Amino acid sequence: MTPISCKVEGMHCTNCAASVSRYLEKKGMQDVNVSFATEEVSFSLPAGADSKEVLEGINQLGYRVVLPDQAPQKVSPFSTLTFKFFFCLVFTLPLLLHMWVNWPWLHHPWVQLSLSLPVFITGMWHFGRSAFRSLVNRMANMDVLVSIGATAAFVYSFVGTVIYGNTDYMFYETTAAIITLVLLGNLLEERSVKQTTTAISELAQLQVTTARLINTDHGHEHIHEVDNRSLRPGDCVLVNTGDKIPMDGTIYWGSGHVNESMITGESAPVGKQEKDKVIGGTILEDGSIKVYITATGKDTVLSYIIELVKQAQNDKPPMQKLADRISAIFVPLVLSIAALTFLGWYFIGHTTLGTAMMRSIAVLVISCPCAMGLATPAAVMVGLGRAARNGILIKGGHTLEMFKNIRQIVFDKTGTLTTGKLQMGDFHMEEMSEVEFKQIVYSLEKYSSHPIARSIAGIWKNAGEVPLQQVREHKGLGMRAVDKAGNEWQLGSYRMAAGLTTDDSHHLYLIKNGRLAGWINFTDEVRPEAATVIKQLQHMGIRPVLLSGDTTRKCQELAQQLGIAEVYAEQSPEQKLQKIDELMKTAPTAMVGDGINDAPALSKATIGISLSDATQVAMQSANVVLLNNHLGALPLAMGLGKHTYLTIKQNLFWAFIYNVVAIPVAALGYLNPVIGAGVMGISDVILAVNSIRLRYKRVS
């Protein structure tokens, strides 16, 4: 499988996106994701398939494929929906005016033909081409309904004008109104749906800025202002107060406070000094720093987040797939109902040909598969966008939908419910000096990514180190290594030293050649927000569970402090995985963890949740990353998931009930085609507006 990603220009509604999606699936493409709002298309190309042929097929549908290395085509203002709508409106208003004023010249058939002809040509150029191509590819879309309805009214009127020359056959205003109002609906839908993607747009705008590039010549620094997109890893830049940090990097001179709210959602500035990492797009609120660039372009944190949010927005939840299946048969079904309506009124109801045709056209234009196609993606885009703005990275629309089922959340202890920033307590060594003890402990722990190891390495980094060989990290146990003298060292939890001592009260045990050589105690600070979060989750009906590799005594103490009733301590990574499996059999389960030893459990859980300072493995294994490294965002993530699902249900209910009610009303002759075209456009806007409410409503 070869992944293919590109932009597709010219999709003016969700039905266009559905047409492209069905075409790709028909061609055998897999993992197909098409977004009308972002114009992003991605799919997996099976072995032996020709990508050029597939992409050319999209072009033949009436759209334009833009590959990543191609520049977007400049859009002519005359081809925009806005221009087409206002151009048609100029001719449609006089046509509709004849219904209220008795000006003889306005009722003349040739005047009405002249006014409707530009609108009809514009409509056929916009809707007709798309309709024709969709029929050629056997994937009838919404444009087929609009084109048939407008063409039937125009041809009927034109024939009446040319052959009979009287006003009994004039439905030119119907043709013009259908085209103009559907264009208005598409325009409103486009603008409303674009509002659902503002989170990505806001993040993308942060990527472009000016950088002060530092060039050194014979020991003298020269500073030049350049576009940050021209920077490369290894460049050095100067950042002053108020400047945007141009790309990811490491501070090698100076200090200051950085506003990282656009990444973490946390408004409080973060203190930074030499050797600290900074993220491109964040703002230096005070201070002056020089930064060594470490990542540019798609390798930056911001680009990674934007890409994940885009992928997540394109990801289809199960409910959307159901709507897609219904939309696929919707247009043929509506065409059948419209045909039956015409035949029924003309042959059974004995109405005139014009009346039967108008009632059939009303069925065509009132029907709206776009509403069903828009129902889920609009809500998912807003939900994921709000999550991203609040420092919650959710990998996939399906994850949002799964939140509604979660009944229990399993927490790791160190680095999750506690800060992981341990303060050194007392320590003890056997048959070695304090300096030697610190050196060997630091030398072992600097190779580990566990929060305890990182804390030790930070505290004792100035103690010096001992050259080690064959360094290995054993998940859930600790570190092993051999020094140059051949001594075997082990540093880890009590499980590693269980056969050497019965005292399990210490955090770490140092073992030399199979003998206990010392121990270390720490004081681990409980996250200040942990107790509040646990209470909030319990109030939401979610059961918290503590699952840790730490000792039973320490886990019980923490659980009692936070109000957690269910505790599983001294668990290895394999045991954690088994326990998650057991818990999932009782109810859908989320897991919150941060270490390498949590990765298997995070992958196994219904939803895996990781903190932003977790190991890379844990972040990759998780479905959700809390970018602000703050558990307080967890209830918001849960609430957003549930309310996004609720919004999807509301949207789908409206989409279905609208069509279920509107089509019979039109078929029974109670709805004018002009009014039907207007209501059809408004139905899409209602769904978009309901989705946008999710940006502001209280969810937790």
Side-chain angles (χ1 to χ4, degrees), residues 99-131:
M99 293 187 290
W100 290 281
V101 299
N102 194 25
W103 298 343
W105 65 272
L106 201 54
H107 291 260
H108 194 282
W110 290 100
V111 171
Q112 292 205 8
L113 171 60
S114 300
L115 288 171
S116 67
L117 189 59
V119 180
F120 180 69
I121 292 172
T122 302
M124 289 306 99
W125 185 256
H126 184 81
F127 298 112
R129 290 189 306 160
S130 171

PDB file of all heavy atoms in Angstrom, residues 99-131:
ATOM      1  N   MET A  99     -44.326  38.565 -10.014  1.00  0.00           N
ATOM      2  CA  MET A  99     -45.404  37.961  -9.221  1.00  0.00           C
ATOM      3  C   MET A  99     -46.100  38.991  -8.336  1.00  0.00           C
ATOM      4  O   MET A  99     -47.168  38.742  -7.810  1.00  0.00           O
ATOM      5  CB  MET A  99     -44.848  36.812  -8.368  1.00  0.00           C
ATOM      6  CG  MET A  99     -44.361  35.617  -9.189  1.00  0.00           C
ATOM      7  SD  MET A  99     -43.895  34.179  -8.182  1.00  0.00           S
ATOM      8  CE  MET A  99     -42.394  34.769  -7.408  1.00  0.00           C
ATOM      9  N   TRP A 100     -45.460  40.166  -8.162  1.00  0.00           N
ATOM     10  CA  TRP A 100     -46.042  41.185  -7.270  1.00  0.00           C
ATOM     11  C   TRP A 100     -46.435  42.475  -8.000  1.00  0.00           C
ATOM     12  O   TRP A 100     -47.201  43.261  -7.477  1.00  0.00           O
ATOM     13  CB  TRP A 100     -45.044  41.527  -6.162  1.00  0.00           C
ATOM     14  CG  TRP A 100     -44.876  40.406  -5.193  1.00  0.00           C
ATOM     15  CD1 TRP A 100     -45.723  40.066  -4.177  1.00  0.00           C
ATOM     16  CD2 TRP A 100     -43.808  39.465  -5.148  1.00  0.00           C
ATOM     17  NE1 TRP A 100     -45.259  38.973  -3.504  1.00  0.00           N
ATOM     18  CE2 TRP A 100     -44.066  38.566  -4.072  1.00  0.00           C
ATOM     19  CE3 TRP A 100     -42.659  39.265  -5.898  1.00  0.00           C
ATOM     20  CZ2 TRP A 100     -43.229  37.517  -3.744  1.00  0.00           C
ATOM     21  CZ3 TRP A 100     -41.819  38.233  -5.582  1.00  0.00           C
ATOM     22  CH2 TRP A 100     -42.095  37.365  -4.521  1.00  0.00           C
ATOM     23  N   VAL A 101     -45.883  42.709  -9.177  1.00  0.00           N
ATOM     24  CA  VAL A 101     -46.225  43.933  -9.926  1.00  0.00           C
ATOM     25  C   VAL A 101     -46.853  43.545 -11.263  1.00  0.00           C
ATOM     26  O   VAL A 101     -46.553  42.489 -11.819  1.00  0.00           O
ATOM     27  CB  VAL A 101     -44.976  44.816 -10.159  1.00  0.00           C
ATOM     28  CG1 VAL A 101     -44.379  45.265  -8.848  1.00  0.00           C
ATOM     29  CG2 VAL A 101     -43.936  44.095 -11.001  1.00  0.00           C
ATOM     30  N   ASN A 102     -47.697  44.413 -11.762  1.00  0.00           N
ATOM     31  CA  ASN A 102     -48.436  44.124 -12.997  1.00  0.00           C
ATOM     32  C   ASN A 102     -47.892  44.957 -14.160  1.00  0.00           C
ATOM     33  O   ASN A 102     -48.624  45.692 -14.803  1.00  0.00           O
ATOM     34  CB  ASN A 102     -49.933  44.394 -12.782  1.00  0.00           C
ATOM     35  CG  ASN A 102     -50.781  43.800 -13.893  1.00  0.00           C
ATOM     36  OD1 ASN A 102     -50.369  42.846 -14.551  1.00  0.00           O
ATOM     37  ND2 ASN A 102     -51.964  44.374 -14.112  1.00  0.00           N
ATOM     38  N   TRP A 103     -46.570  44.837 -14.382  1.00  0.00           N
ATOM     39  CA  TRP A 103     -45.967  45.530 -15.517  1.00  0.00           C
ATOM     40  C   TRP A 103     -46.056  44.609 -16.735  1.00  0.00           C
ATOM     41  O   TRP A 103     -45.446  43.528 -16.743  1.00  0.00           O
ATOM     42  CB  TRP A 103     -44.507  45.883 -15.226  1.00  0.00           C
ATOM     43  CG  TRP A 103     -44.355  46.826 -14.057  1.00  0.00           C
ATOM     44  CD1 TRP A 103     -45.317  47.607 -13.493  1.00  0.00           C
ATOM     45  CD2 TRP A 103     -43.152  47.068 -13.310  1.00  0.00           C
ATOM     46  NE1 TRP A 103     -44.824  48.333 -12.442  1.00  0.00           N
ATOM     47  CE2 TRP A 103     -43.482  48.029 -12.306  1.00  0.00           C
ATOM     48  CE3 TRP A 103     -41.853  46.596 -13.385  1.00  0.00           C
ATOM     49  CZ2 TRP A 103     -42.552  48.499 -11.396  1.00  0.00           C
ATOM     50  CZ3 TRP A 103     -40.923  47.074 -12.488  1.00  0.00           C
ATOM     51  CH2 TRP A 103     -41.259  48.014 -11.499  1.00  0.00           C
ATOM     52  N   PRO A 104     -46.754  44.997 -17.761  1.00  0.00           N
ATOM     53  CA  PRO A 104     -46.965  44.103 -18.918  1.00  0.00           C
ATOM     54  C   PRO A 104     -45.676  43.592 -19.544  1.00  0.00           C
ATOM     55  O   PRO A 104     -45.580  42.412 -19.894  1.00  0.00           O
ATOM     56  CB  PRO A 104     -47.755  44.996 -19.896  1.00  0.00           C
ATOM     57  CG  PRO A 104     -48.445  45.991 -19.029  1.00  0.00           C
ATOM     58  CD  PRO A 104     -47.499  46.262 -17.895  1.00  0.00           C
ATOM     59  N   TRP A 105     -44.677  44.464 -19.674  1.00  0.00           N
ATOM     60  CA  TRP A 105     -43.448  44.026 -20.345  1.00  0.00           C
ATOM     61  C   TRP A 105     -42.715  42.943 -19.557  1.00  0.00           C
ATOM     62  O   TRP A 105     -42.041  42.092 -20.120  1.00  0.00           O
ATOM     63  CB  TRP A 105     -42.505  45.222 -20.579  1.00  0.00           C
ATOM     64  CG  TRP A 105     -41.985  45.844 -19.292  1.00  0.00           C
ATOM     65  CD1 TRP A 105     -42.552  46.817 -18.550  1.00  0.00           C
ATOM     66  CD2 TRP A 105     -40.766  45.486 -18.629  1.00  0.00           C
ATOM     67  NE1 TRP A 105     -41.803  47.111 -17.446  1.00  0.00           N
ATOM     68  CE2 TRP A 105     -40.675  46.307 -17.472  1.00  0.00           C
ATOM     69  CE3 TRP A 105     -39.738  44.566 -18.882  1.00  0.00           C
ATOM     70  CZ2 TRP A 105     -39.621  46.231 -16.575  1.00  0.00           C
ATOM     71  CZ3 TRP A 105     -38.685  44.500 -17.994  1.00  0.00           C
ATOM     72  CH2 TRP A 105     -38.629  45.322 -16.850  1.00  0.00           C
ATOM     73  N   LEU A 106     -42.906  42.963 -18.183  1.00  0.00           N
ATOM     74  CA  LEU A 106     -42.231  41.971 -17.342  1.00  0.00           C
ATOM     75  C   LEU A 106     -42.889  40.602 -17.466  1.00  0.00           C
ATOM     76  O   LEU A 106     -42.274  39.579 -17.162  1.00  0.00           O
ATOM     77  CB  LEU A 106     -42.249  42.438 -15.886  1.00  0.00           C
ATOM     78  CG  LEU A 106     -41.210  41.832 -14.937  1.00  0.00           C
ATOM     79  CD1 LEU A 106     -39.798  42.001 -15.471  1.00  0.00           C
ATOM     80  CD2 LEU A 106     -41.314  42.473 -13.555  1.00  0.00           C
ATOM     81  N   HIS A 107     -44.143  40.579 -17.967  1.00  0.00           N
ATOM     82  CA  HIS A 107     -44.856  39.310 -18.132  1.00  0.00           C
ATOM     83  C   HIS A 107     -44.691  38.741 -19.538  1.00  0.00           C
ATOM     84  O   HIS A 107     -45.210  37.662 -19.816  1.00  0.00           O
ATOM     85  CB  HIS A 107     -46.354  39.512 -17.837  1.00  0.00           C
ATOM     86  CG  HIS A 107     -46.640  39.783 -16.389  1.00  0.00           C
ATOM     87  ND1 HIS A 107     -47.098  38.816 -15.531  1.00  0.00           N
ATOM     88  CD2 HIS A 107     -46.531  40.910 -15.652  1.00  0.00           C
ATOM     89  CE1 HIS A 107     -47.272  39.330 -14.325  1.00  0.00           C
ATOM     90  NE2 HIS A 107     -46.937  40.614 -14.375  1.00  0.00           N
ATOM     91  N   HIS A 108     -43.975  39.461 -20.366  1.00  0.00           N
ATOM     92  CA  HIS A 108     -43.816  39.005 -21.747  1.00  0.00           C
ATOM     93  C   HIS A 108     -42.904  37.769 -21.782  1.00  0.00           C
ATOM     94  O   HIS A 108     -41.826  37.756 -21.185  1.00  0.00           O
ATOM     95  CB  HIS A 108     -43.208  40.121 -22.608  1.00  0.00           C
ATOM     96  CG  HIS A 108     -43.331  39.862 -24.067  1.00  0.00           C
ATOM     97  ND1 HIS A 108     -42.516  38.984 -24.751  1.00  0.00           N
ATOM     98  CD2 HIS A 108     -44.212  40.357 -25.001  1.00  0.00           C
ATOM     99  CE1 HIS A 108     -42.859  38.943 -26.013  1.00  0.00           C
ATOM    100  NE2 HIS A 108     -43.892  39.786 -26.208  1.00  0.00           N
ATOM    101  N   PRO A 109     -43.291  36.694 -22.499  1.00  0.00           N
ATOM    102  CA  PRO A 109     -42.498  35.451 -22.510  1.00  0.00           C
ATOM    103  C   PRO A 109     -41.055  35.651 -22.953  1.00  0.00           C
ATOM    104  O   PRO A 109     -40.138  35.059 -22.375  1.00  0.00           O
ATOM    105  CB  PRO A 109     -43.263  34.563 -23.496  1.00  0.00           C
ATOM    106  CG  PRO A 109     -44.661  35.069 -23.471  1.00  0.00           C
ATOM    107  CD  PRO A 109     -44.552  36.552 -23.257  1.00  0.00           C
ATOM    108  N   TRP A 110     -40.843  36.503 -23.994  1.00  0.00           N
ATOM    109  CA  TRP A 110     -39.473  36.663 -24.489  1.00  0.00           C
ATOM    110  C   TRP A 110     -38.605  37.452 -23.514  1.00  0.00           C
ATOM    111  O   TRP A 110     -37.396  37.251 -23.443  1.00  0.00           O
ATOM    112  CB  TRP A 110     -39.497  37.336 -25.867  1.00  0.00           C
ATOM    113  CG  TRP A 110     -40.057  36.416 -26.903  1.00  0.00           C
ATOM    114  CD1 TRP A 110     -41.330  36.413 -27.400  1.00  0.00           C
ATOM    115  CD2 TRP A 110     -39.369  35.334 -27.528  1.00  0.00           C
ATOM    116  NE1 TRP A 110     -41.497  35.395 -28.308  1.00  0.00           N
ATOM    117  CE2 TRP A 110     -40.297  34.713 -28.408  1.00  0.00           C
ATOM    118  CE3 TRP A 110     -38.079  34.817 -27.443  1.00  0.00           C
ATOM    119  CZ2 TRP A 110     -39.962  33.614 -29.193  1.00  0.00           C
ATOM    120  CZ3 TRP A 110     -37.756  33.730 -28.240  1.00  0.00           C
ATOM    121  CH2 TRP A 110     -38.686  33.137 -29.095  1.00  0.00           C
ATOM    122  N   VAL A 111     -39.212  38.358 -22.743  1.00  0.00           N
ATOM    123  CA  VAL A 111     -38.458  39.087 -21.708  1.00  0.00           C
ATOM    124  C   VAL A 111     -38.032  38.114 -20.615  1.00  0.00           C
ATOM    125  O   VAL A 111     -36.887  38.120 -20.151  1.00  0.00           O
ATOM    126  CB  VAL A 111     -39.301  40.240 -21.119  1.00  0.00           C
ATOM    127  CG1 VAL A 111     -38.601  40.849 -19.895  1.00  0.00           C
ATOM    128  CG2 VAL A 111     -39.553  41.311 -22.168  1.00  0.00           C
ATOM    129  N   GLN A 112     -38.964  37.269 -20.218  1.00  0.00           N
ATOM    130  CA  GLN A 112     -38.640  36.301 -19.166  1.00  0.00           C
ATOM    131  C   GLN A 112     -37.604  35.287 -19.659  1.00  0.00           C
ATOM    132  O   GLN A 112     -36.720  34.877 -18.892  1.00  0.00           O
ATOM    133  CB  GLN A 112     -39.910  35.581 -18.706  1.00  0.00           C
ATOM    134  CG  GLN A 112     -40.875  36.497 -17.978  1.00  0.00           C
ATOM    135  CD  GLN A 112     -41.783  35.748 -17.023  1.00  0.00           C
ATOM    136  OE1 GLN A 112     -41.608  34.561 -16.787  1.00  0.00           O
ATOM    137  NE2 GLN A 112     -42.754  36.447 -16.466  1.00  0.00           N
ATOM    138  N   LEU A 113     -37.703  34.891 -20.914  1.00  0.00           N
ATOM    139  CA  LEU A 113     -36.695  33.994 -21.472  1.00  0.00           C
ATOM    140  C   LEU A 113     -35.321  34.657 -21.458  1.00  0.00           C
ATOM    141  O   LEU A 113     -34.318  34.029 -21.086  1.00  0.00           O
ATOM    142  CB  LEU A 113     -37.072  33.604 -22.908  1.00  0.00           C
ATOM    143  CG  LEU A 113     -36.007  32.825 -23.705  1.00  0.00           C
ATOM    144  CD1 LEU A 113     -35.673  31.507 -23.014  1.00  0.00           C
ATOM    145  CD2 LEU A 113     -36.485  32.575 -25.134  1.00  0.00           C
ATOM    146  N   SER A 114     -35.264  35.927 -21.822  1.00  0.00           N
ATOM    147  CA  SER A 114     -33.994  36.657 -21.850  1.00  0.00           C
ATOM    148  C   SER A 114     -33.393  36.780 -20.451  1.00  0.00           C
ATOM    149  O   SER A 114     -32.172  36.711 -20.275  1.00  0.00           O
ATOM    150  CB  SER A 114     -34.202  38.059 -22.450  1.00  0.00           C
ATOM    151  OG  SER A 114     -34.691  37.972 -23.766  1.00  0.00           O
ATOM    152  N   LEU A 115     -34.240  36.985 -19.447  1.00  0.00           N
ATOM    153  CA  LEU A 115     -33.745  37.117 -18.076  1.00  0.00           C
ATOM    154  C   LEU A 115     -33.288  35.771 -17.503  1.00  0.00           C
ATOM    155  O   LEU A 115     -32.331  35.706 -16.738  1.00  0.00           O
ATOM    156  CB  LEU A 115     -34.848  37.708 -17.183  1.00  0.00           C
ATOM    157  CG  LEU A 115     -35.162  39.204 -17.389  1.00  0.00           C
ATOM    158  CD1 LEU A 115     -36.412  39.583 -16.608  1.00  0.00           C
ATOM    159  CD2 LEU A 115     -33.975  40.061 -16.938  1.00  0.00           C
ATOM    160  N   SER A 116     -33.993  34.705 -17.874  1.00  0.00           N
ATOM    161  CA  SER A 116     -33.669  33.403 -17.280  1.00  0.00           C
ATOM    162  C   SER A 116     -32.507  32.706 -17.974  1.00  0.00           C
ATOM    163  O   SER A 116     -31.827  31.866 -17.367  1.00  0.00           O
ATOM    164  CB  SER A 116     -34.890  32.481 -17.309  1.00  0.00           C
ATOM    165  OG  SER A 116     -35.234  32.142 -18.642  1.00  0.00           O
ATOM    166  N   LEU A 117     -32.262  33.045 -19.265  1.00  0.00           N
ATOM    167  CA  LEU A 117     -31.234  32.344 -20.029  1.00  0.00           C
ATOM    168  C   LEU A 117     -29.835  32.468 -19.409  1.00  0.00           C
ATOM    169  O   LEU A 117     -29.134  31.456 -19.274  1.00  0.00           O
ATOM    170  CB  LEU A 117     -31.224  32.843 -21.476  1.00  0.00           C
ATOM    171  CG  LEU A 117     -30.331  32.049 -22.444  1.00  0.00           C
ATOM    172  CD1 LEU A 117     -30.756  30.584 -22.490  1.00  0.00           C
ATOM    173  CD2 LEU A 117     -30.378  32.665 -23.849  1.00  0.00           C
ATOM    174  N   PRO A 118     -29.356  33.678 -18.987  1.00  0.00           N
ATOM    175  CA  PRO A 118     -28.034  33.759 -18.355  1.00  0.00           C
ATOM    176  C   PRO A 118     -27.938  32.932 -17.071  1.00  0.00           C
ATOM    177  O   PRO A 118     -26.901  32.327 -16.786  1.00  0.00           O
ATOM    178  CB  PRO A 118     -27.869  35.260 -18.055  1.00  0.00           C
ATOM    179  CG  PRO A 118     -28.810  35.943 -18.983  1.00  0.00           C
ATOM    180  CD  PRO A 118     -29.963  35.010 -19.143  1.00  0.00           C
ATOM    181  N   VAL A 119     -29.054  32.913 -16.328  1.00  0.00           N
ATOM    182  CA  VAL A 119     -29.062  32.139 -15.082  1.00  0.00           C
ATOM    183  C   VAL A 119     -28.995  30.647 -15.397  1.00  0.00           C
ATOM    184  O   VAL A 119     -28.248  29.887 -14.761  1.00  0.00           O
ATOM    185  CB  VAL A 119     -30.328  32.450 -14.255  1.00  0.00           C
ATOM    186  CG1 VAL A 119     -30.325  31.642 -12.951  1.00  0.00           C
ATOM    187  CG2 VAL A 119     -30.417  33.933 -13.955  1.00  0.00           C
ATOM    188  N   PHE A 120     -29.749  30.220 -16.408  1.00  0.00           N
ATOM    189  CA  PHE A 120     -29.762  28.803 -16.779  1.00  0.00           C
ATOM    190  C   PHE A 120     -28.385  28.361 -17.276  1.00  0.00           C
ATOM    191  O   PHE A 120     -27.901  27.284 -16.895  1.00  0.00           O
ATOM    192  CB  PHE A 120     -30.819  28.561 -17.867  1.00  0.00           C
ATOM    193  CG  PHE A 120     -30.904  27.133 -18.315  1.00  0.00           C
ATOM    194  CD1 PHE A 120     -31.388  26.145 -17.470  1.00  0.00           C
ATOM    195  CD2 PHE A 120     -30.483  26.768 -19.588  1.00  0.00           C
ATOM    196  CE1 PHE A 120     -31.456  24.821 -17.876  1.00  0.00           C
ATOM    197  CE2 PHE A 120     -30.549  25.448 -20.010  1.00  0.00           C
ATOM    198  CZ  PHE A 120     -31.042  24.469 -19.151  1.00  0.00           C
ATOM    199  N   ILE A 121     -27.754  29.187 -18.104  1.00  0.00           N
ATOM    200  CA  ILE A 121     -26.418  28.838 -18.617  1.00  0.00           C
ATOM    201  C   ILE A 121     -25.416  28.744 -17.468  1.00  0.00           C
ATOM    202  O   ILE A 121     -24.615  27.796 -17.396  1.00  0.00           O
ATOM    203  CB  ILE A 121     -25.961  29.882 -19.661  1.00  0.00           C
ATOM    204  CG1 ILE A 121     -26.839  29.782 -20.917  1.00  0.00           C
ATOM    205  CG2 ILE A 121     -24.494  29.672 -20.021  1.00  0.00           C
ATOM    206  CD1 ILE A 121     -26.594  30.888 -21.925  1.00  0.00           C
ATOM    207  N   THR A 122     -25.453  29.714 -16.544  1.00  0.00           N
ATOM    208  CA  THR A 122     -24.554  29.680 -15.373  1.00  0.00           C
ATOM    209  C   THR A 122     -24.801  28.437 -14.536  1.00  0.00           C
ATOM    210  O   THR A 122     -23.866  27.758 -14.088  1.00  0.00           O
ATOM    211  CB  THR A 122     -24.754  30.944 -14.507  1.00  0.00           C
ATOM    212  OG1 THR A 122     -24.515  32.104 -15.304  1.00  0.00           O
ATOM    213  CG2 THR A 122     -23.806  30.940 -13.310  1.00  0.00           C
ATOM    214  N   GLY A 123     -26.091  28.117 -14.321  1.00  0.00           N
ATOM    215  CA  GLY A 123     -26.439  26.944 -13.518  1.00  0.00           C
ATOM    216  C   GLY A 123     -25.982  25.650 -14.147  1.00  0.00           C
ATOM    217  O   GLY A 123     -25.463  24.754 -13.465  1.00  0.00           O
ATOM    218  N   MET A 124     -26.146  25.551 -15.452  1.00  0.00           N
ATOM    219  CA  MET A 124     -25.713  24.323 -16.132  1.00  0.00           C
ATOM    220  C   MET A 124     -24.182  24.214 -16.157  1.00  0.00           C
ATOM    221  O   MET A 124     -23.627  23.118 -16.102  1.00  0.00           O
ATOM    222  CB  MET A 124     -26.263  24.283 -17.551  1.00  0.00           C
ATOM    223  CG  MET A 124     -27.766  24.040 -17.630  1.00  0.00           C
ATOM    224  SD  MET A 124     -28.319  22.533 -16.743  1.00  0.00           S
ATOM    225  CE  MET A 124     -28.910  23.221 -15.195  1.00  0.00           C
ATOM    226  N   TRP A 125     -23.516  25.367 -16.252  1.00  0.00           N
ATOM    227  CA  TRP A 125     -22.052  25.339 -16.213  1.00  0.00           C
ATOM    228  C   TRP A 125     -21.560  24.894 -14.828  1.00  0.00           C
ATOM    229  O   TRP A 125     -20.567  24.176 -14.715  1.00  0.00           O
ATOM    230  CB  TRP A 125     -21.500  26.725 -16.547  1.00  0.00           C
ATOM    231  CG  TRP A 125     -20.009  26.783 -16.640  1.00  0.00           C
ATOM    232  CD1 TRP A 125     -19.130  27.294 -15.713  1.00  0.00           C
ATOM    233  CD2 TRP A 125     -19.197  26.293 -17.715  1.00  0.00           C
ATOM    234  NE1 TRP A 125     -17.843  27.163 -16.143  1.00  0.00           N
ATOM    235  CE2 TRP A 125     -17.851  26.548 -17.381  1.00  0.00           C
ATOM    236  CE3 TRP A 125     -19.490  25.668 -18.928  1.00  0.00           C
ATOM    237  CZ2 TRP A 125     -16.793  26.189 -18.208  1.00  0.00           C
ATOM    238  CZ3 TRP A 125     -18.431  25.325 -19.757  1.00  0.00           C
ATOM    239  CH2 TRP A 125     -17.111  25.586 -19.395  1.00  0.00           C
ATOM    240  N   HIS A 126     -22.296  25.301 -13.804  1.00  0.00           N
ATOM    241  CA  HIS A 126     -21.891  24.956 -12.428  1.00  0.00           C
ATOM    242  C   HIS A 126     -22.396  23.575 -12.015  1.00  0.00           C
ATOM    243  O   HIS A 126     -21.608  22.724 -11.600  1.00  0.00           O
ATOM    244  CB  HIS A 126     -22.428  26.015 -11.456  1.00  0.00           C
ATOM    245  CG  HIS A 126     -21.995  25.804 -10.037  1.00  0.00           C
ATOM    246  ND1 HIS A 126     -20.766  26.201  -9.564  1.00  0.00           N
ATOM    247  CD2 HIS A 126     -22.623  25.221  -8.990  1.00  0.00           C
ATOM    248  CE1 HIS A 126     -20.654  25.887  -8.292  1.00  0.00           C
ATOM    249  NE2 HIS A 126     -21.774  25.286  -7.916  1.00  0.00           N
ATOM    250  N   PHE A 127     -23.702  23.364 -12.131  1.00  0.00           N
ATOM    251  CA  PHE A 127     -24.289  22.096 -11.672  1.00  0.00           C
ATOM    252  C   PHE A 127     -24.312  21.030 -12.772  1.00  0.00           C
ATOM    253  O   PHE A 127     -24.120  19.850 -12.501  1.00  0.00           O
ATOM    254  CB  PHE A 127     -25.726  22.322 -11.177  1.00  0.00           C
ATOM    255  CG  PHE A 127     -25.837  23.245 -10.010  1.00  0.00           C
ATOM    256  CD1 PHE A 127     -26.431  24.492 -10.156  1.00  0.00           C
ATOM    257  CD2 PHE A 127     -25.338  22.888  -8.770  1.00  0.00           C
ATOM    258  CE1 PHE A 127     -26.540  25.358  -9.081  1.00  0.00           C
ATOM    259  CE2 PHE A 127     -25.439  23.749  -7.687  1.00  0.00           C
ATOM    260  CZ  PHE A 127     -26.042  24.995  -7.845  1.00  0.00           C
ATOM    261  N   GLY A 128     -24.577  21.474 -14.007  1.00  0.00           N
ATOM    262  CA  GLY A 128     -24.771  20.519 -15.091  1.00  0.00           C
ATOM    263  C   GLY A 128     -23.534  19.704 -15.406  1.00  0.00           C
ATOM    264  O   GLY A 128     -23.622  18.489 -15.626  1.00  0.00           O
ATOM    265  N   ARG A 129     -22.364  20.367 -15.444  1.00  0.00           N
ATOM    266  CA  ARG A 129     -21.132  19.625 -15.751  1.00  0.00           C
ATOM    267  C   ARG A 129     -20.864  18.566 -14.689  1.00  0.00           C
ATOM    268  O   ARG A 129     -20.499  17.427 -15.003  1.00  0.00           O
ATOM    269  CB  ARG A 129     -19.946  20.585 -15.835  1.00  0.00           C
ATOM    270  CG  ARG A 129     -19.979  21.503 -17.047  1.00  0.00           C
ATOM    271  CD  ARG A 129     -18.673  22.260 -17.172  1.00  0.00           C
ATOM    272  NE  ARG A 129     -18.327  22.962 -15.950  1.00  0.00           N
ATOM    273  CZ  ARG A 129     -17.097  23.373 -15.637  1.00  0.00           C
ATOM    274  NH1 ARG A 129     -16.087  23.104 -16.452  1.00  0.00           N
ATOM    275  NH2 ARG A 129     -16.869  24.024 -14.511  1.00  0.00           N
ATOM    276  N   SER A 130     -21.042  18.958 -13.425  1.00  0.00           N
ATOM    277  CA  SER A 130     -20.836  18.000 -12.330  1.00  0.00           C
ATOM    278  C   SER A 130     -21.840  16.858 -12.417  1.00  0.00           C
ATOM    279  O   SER A 130     -21.494  15.691 -12.215  1.00  0.00           O
ATOM    280  CB  SER A 130     -20.943  18.718 -10.982  1.00  0.00           C
ATOM    281  OG  SER A 130     -20.956  17.802  -9.920  1.00  0.00           O
ATOM    282  N   ALA A 131     -23.090  17.198 -12.741  1.00  0.00           N
ATOM    283  CA  ALA A 131     -24.130  16.168 -12.850  1.00  0.00           C
ATOM    284  C   ALA A 131     -23.804  15.185 -13.970  1.00  0.00           C
ATOM    285  O   ALA A 131     -23.922  13.962 -13.804  1.00  0.00           O
ATOM    286  CB  ALA A 131     -25.485  16.820 -13.105  1.00  0.00           C
TER     287      ALA A 131
END
